[in-house]
Amino acid sequence: MKKTSGTSGSNRPGVRNAITPVQLSDRTTGKKSGKKSSASSSKGKAKRPAAKSKRAKKNKNGGKIAAFIVGTVAVAAVAGVVGFKYWEQNIKEKKYEVTLADGTVSELTVDELRDSMDLTVFPQGTVINGVNVAGMTIDSARESVKANEPEAPLYLDIKLDLDGTQYPVDLSSLPLESNIEEILTEAFNYAKPSDNAEAEELVSCYNRREQMKLTPVDYNTAYTLNSEGIGSIIHNILDPLASEARDAQITGFNTNSLTFEYTPSAKGYIIDTEKAVTDVKALLDAGEYVGTVSVDAQVTEPAFTTEMVLSDFGLMAESHSTTTSNNSRNHNIRITCEKLDGLILQPGESFSFNDTVGQRTAATGYEMAGTIINGQYQDDYGGGICQVSTMIYQSCIKSDIKVDRRSGHSFASSYADPGTDATVDWGGVDFIFTNNKDYPIAMHAVYDNDNYTVSVSLYGPKLPNGIHYDFVGSTVSVNPHTTVYQPNGELPVGVTNTQSGGHDGATAVSYRIKYDASGNELEREQIATTSYTMVPAVIEVGILNPDGSLATLNTETGEVTGIVESVPSDPSDSSVDPSASDTTPSDTSETGETQPTEPTQPTEPTEPTGDTTPADTTPSETPADTTPADTTPAETPAEGGEGGEGQTA
């Protein structure tokens, strides 16, 4: 800017004209400057010299004041010009160091810094989605970036992990949105100074742009899900899982696979669903569409789990024995097993053989077979089924199941150790036990017609470490049977007829034996004492003499007295067979065979033998009460009883 003088100030624009000292003096005297003040005017003032002198002094002082004011104004004007020049040279024109892309240092003023940066386009070194957008406006860059933008992701795989179980999150209902506008704005403003940027900010942006020439800044757009609806999606997944713990429930027993059927157990969960919503939303907002979010929850374990059903449940004990070849008897055993097979008893539930099997009649499918009635074999419906009840009893003892009611037969059975049998009779004797386990148990009863065997197995909670039980019995005393002789006046003297065979009485004791996994005996426990009733043999003895009189019979010894010899026949009596005159009277048995004249003691029935020790080493649990209430003498089946050993050896 060109500097100007003080007397020519009236020629400067915006500056008022300067006032001279003379003009100021004139204003002080009140006279116009154009009037004369020389000798022509002095004549009229000669008469008052004192006043003139005083006025002249005043004019002299006023001139000094005016001169001071003018000088002050001039100094201020000069100072302003000098200050402006100082700002222009030291502030506006100050140069700042900048670092160029090649590493050299240069100096630029503020104006030069501003002018060097084109803020309407992207700076050099800006790359978006692999597209170099340097020199492009935002609009032109948008078109180029969109052309190179990746397709929306098709694979979305977010899962929720709750206690080790993963649940997929269906995000198909959430819209996908590209963040291209955010990226364009971020990239455009990366090295752009603000509108009122100071020198320091300008230098920083300039240096940043120079650095981008060497190291471009890469940006990539991404798709984001609009996560506003994620809350309802997460709640729909987790809310049904928030529940109390649920135990497994045994619902049946598969007799083919010999496994329990059940509904699975479930853990109880108190779930922090809102935190799960926040965590999933954060994942999506970060552009991550594949991942697993762990769900915070308080977990409660069930008392009876699915794993327990699969690993801790199985065969507790089994008992088996051989049947006879009697088809009707085996038929009765088979249909009884079919009624029992797969039966489940819940904890505390009792089993009654008679209630479960029902009455044995022709209408219910049973056939006539040998039973024990009043200590003797007779045919009746359901003969043979006591062999099934005996196998159940033996398996109960070997499984430590509580036996409530059990009775032995009138005499020991051929298919079981003495003292280990259990008889039943519809309307009378029953076999009852109670499931004293904490869990359900199942029964598997099978008749094998190929091998003539019957087996009953119990399934439930197994004993640990291979521990198992056996059930055995033995006779400790015998009471031989007696014989009762009965006279028969319709039979010739000396002829005998056995009405019923006798059975010895006996006392048997049964034991449960505990073994370890190696078969070593750990414990022997007495279970029951069983008394078998002595049944006397009954023999009829003929006392009819040839002459029609009756001899005398000693019912204790069977000796016959008062026998009359035979009378010779009259030859003229044609009704008499001469050839029979010397024939000794003979006895006719129930089979029609002749018997010796002398009464003979009936042959005692041979005690049948068989497989009386069930080979069962299946583990079982020990109940609290190990002594069934069956130590009283065995009951004799009443009329219609079903002893089941009706086949003579």
Side-chain angles (χ1 to χ4, degrees):
M1 182 177 293
K2 189 174 181 180
K3 186 177 180 181
T4 58
S5 63
T7 57
S8 59
S10 61
N11 296 324
R12 295 175 58 195
V15 180
R16 292 186 178 184
N17 294 333
I19 303 176
T20 64
V22 176
Q23 293 172 329
L24 182 61
S25 178
D26 291 341
R27 290 182 179 179
T28 303
T29 59
K31 297 180 179 180
K32 295 182 180 179
S33 60
K35 293 183 179 181
K36 294 181 179 180
S37 58
S38 60
S40 60
S41 61
S42 62
K43 291 181 179 181
K45 298 179 181 179
K47 293 181 178 180
R48 296 188 298 174
K52 180 179 181 183
S53 175
K54 187 177 181 180
R55 189 179 294 115
K57 187 176 180 181
K58 289 182 179 179
N59 288 339
K60 184 177 179 181
N61 290 337
K64 290 180 179 181
I65 293 173
F68 174 77
I69 293 174
V70 170
T72 301
V73 172
V75 170
V78 171
V81 172
V82 172
F84 176 78
K85 290 293 186 180
Y86 178 82
W87 173 83
E88 185 176 47
Q89 292 177 1
N90 294 279
I91 302 299
K92 184 177 180 182
E93 301 300 327
K94 181 180 179 179
K95 294 188 176 183
Y96 299 87
E97 288 187 356
V98 293
T99 303
L100 304 181
D102 59 5
T104 61
V105 177
S106 180
E107 292 185 350
L108 297 175
T109 65
V110 169
D111 289 340
E112 289 171 340
L113 287 170
R114 291 185 186 277
D115 294 342
S116 66
M117 293 183 286
D118 187 352
L119 305 183
T120 63
V121 297
F122 287 93
Q124 185 177 344
T126 305
V127 180
I128 304 176
N129 287 350
V131 177
N132 185 359
V133 296
M136 297 183 186
T137 64
I138 287 184
D139 291 338
S140 59
R142 182 184 295 108
E143 297 302 322
S144 298
V145 171
K146 279 188 175 181
N148 203 45
E149 190 175 21
E151 294 183 359
L154 300 178
Y155 186 67
L156 303 174
D157 188 17
I158 301 295
K159 295 183 177 67
L160 298 174
D161 188 305
L162 176 61
D163 192 31
T165 301
Q166 294 186 346
Y167 301 88
V169 181
D170 184 4
L171 303 173
S172 59
S173 61
L174 300 182
L176 278 169
E177 299 174 350
S178 173
N179 66 343
I180 186 172
E181 295 302 327
E182 297 177 17
I183 294 299
L184 288 171
T185 301
E186 180 182 351
F188 191 76
N189 293 330
Y190 175 70
K192 179 183 177 182
S194 60
D195 294 340
N196 299 320
E198 300 291 340
E200 184 179 355
E201 182 183 353
L202 293 171
V203 170
S204 176
C205 290
Y206 184 93
N207 288 340
R208 192 179 300 173
R209 287 174 175 247
E210 288 295 313
Q211 185 63 32
M212 290 173 63
K213 296 176 182 179
L214 295 176
T215 307
V217 179
D218 289 308
Y219 298 88
N220 290 288
T221 61
Y223 286 91
T224 58
L225 285 174
N226 187 333
S227 57
E228 292 181 0
I230 194 64
S232 60
I233 295 176
I234 301 302
H235 274 279
N236 288 338
I237 296 173
L238 296 181
D239 287 353
L241 303 177
S243 61
E244 296 182 355
R246 183 180 68 249
D247 288 346
Q249 297 291 328
I250 290 178
T251 58
F253 184 77
N254 190 315
T255 56
N256 294 320
S257 63
L258 300 181
T259 57
F260 284 97
E261 298 171 344
Y262 61 92
T263 57
S265 63
K267 296 179 180 180
Y269 295 102
I270 300 176
I271 302 173
D272 190 346
T273 306
E274 294 307 319
K275 184 177 183 300
V277 172
T278 300
D279 292 345
V280 172
K281 189 176 185 300
L283 198 67
L284 299 178
D285 290 344
E288 297 183 26
Y289 308 117
V290 177
T292 301
V293 173
S294 180
V295 179
D296 289 351
Q298 297 179 18
V299 183
T300 304
E301 296 288 342
F304 183 42
T305 66
T306 300
E307 291 72 19
M308 293 173 63
V309 177
L310 298 177
S311 62
D312 299 341
F313 276 62
L315 179 65
M316 296 192 299
E318 65 178 346
S319 302
H320 56 84
S321 58
T322 303
T323 67
T324 70
S325 59
N326 184 288
N327 290 333
S328 293
R329 186 176 188 275
N330 291 337
H331 167 81
N332 294 335
I333 291 175
R334 177 181 60 79
I335 64 173
T336 301
C337 288
E338 291 173 352
K339 293 181 178 181
L340 299 174
D341 196 26
L343 177 71
I344 290 181
L345 268 72
Q346 299 297 327
E349 185 177 0
S350 294
F351 166 86
S352 163
F353 187 94
N354 284 339
D355 290 347
T356 304
V357 175
Q359 186 174 4
R360 280 70 78 180
T361 64
T364 58
Y366 285 92
E367 297 179 0
M368 299 284 286
T371 64
I372 298 177
I373 302 177
N374 294 327
Q376 300 299 323
Y377 286 117
Q378 296 183 27
D379 282 348
D380 198 2
Y381 289 107
I385 66 171
C386 284
Q387 192 162 352
V388 180
S389 60
T390 295
M391 295 303 102
I392 299 174
Y393 172 54
Q394 292 183 357
S395 291
C396 285
I397 297 300
K398 288 184 279 189
S399 300
D400 281 344
I401 298 294
K402 181 178 180 294
V403 175
D404 302 304
R405 182 177 178 184
R406 167 261 172 184
S407 298
H409 290 87
S410 297
F411 45 86
S413 304
S414 62
Y415 48 76
D417 278 2
T420 66
D421 58 324
T423 187
V424 290
D425 172 31
W426 176 257
V429 181
D430 198 1
F431 173 71
I432 301 173
F433 71 88
T434 299
N435 176 15
N436 56 343
K437 307 297 182 182
D438 294 331
Y439 304 99
I441 63 173
M443 184 183 300
H444 180 46
V446 178
Y447 169 70
D448 186 347
N449 195 52
D450 294 332
N451 299 319
Y452 295 108
T453 58
V454 56
S455 62
V456 174
S457 307
L458 295 180
Y459 287 78
K462 299 181 294 186
L463 280 178
N465 305 321
I467 293 176
H468 57 279
Y469 291 89
D470 197 5
F471 185 39
V472 299
S474 60
T475 300
V476 295
S477 65
V478 176
N479 178 21
H481 73 276
T482 59
T483 301
V484 176
Y485 299 97
Q486 295 178 349
N488 188 332
E490 296 180 358
L491 292 178
V493 171
V495 176
T496 61
N497 179 33
T498 301
Q499 291 282 1
S500 61
H503 293 280
D504 292 342
T507 300
V509 177
S510 59
Y511 297 90
R512 175 170 46 216
I513 307 174
K514 182 178 182 180
Y515 296 94
D516 63 17
S518 300
N520 300 311
E521 182 175 334
L522 302 178
E523 181 182 312
R524 181 178 292 254
E525 176 189 5
Q526 181 174 332
I527 297 300
T529 298
T530 304
S531 296
Y532 296 107
T533 305
M534 186 275 292
V535 179
V538 179
I539 300 176
E540 289 183 331
V541 178
I543 59 173
L544 179 63
N545 284 317
D547 62 357
S549 64
L550 297 178
T552 301
L553 173 68
N554 187 326
T555 58
E556 295 182 359
T557 64
E559 180 181 359
V560 179
T561 59
I563 299 176
V564 177
E565 297 294 335
S566 59
V567 179
S569 59
D570 185 352
S572 63
D573 186 357
S574 59
S575 63
V576 177
D577 183 359
S579 63
S581 60
D582 296 329
T583 301
T584 302
S586 60
D587 294 338
T588 303
S589 68
E590 59 181 340
T591 58
E593 297 179 354
T594 58
Q595 302 295 325
T597 302
E598 275 298 316
T600 58
Q601 294 290 337
T603 302
E604 294 183 9
T606 303
E607 196 68 31
T609 61
D611 182 9
T612 60
T613 305
D616 182 13
T617 59
T618 305
S620 61
E621 294 183 18
T622 303
D625 183 5
T626 58
T627 306
D630 60 354
T631 58
T632 57
E635 298 181 30
T636 301
E639 194 72 21
E642 299 155 350
E645 316 103 298
Q647 309 306 314
T648 57

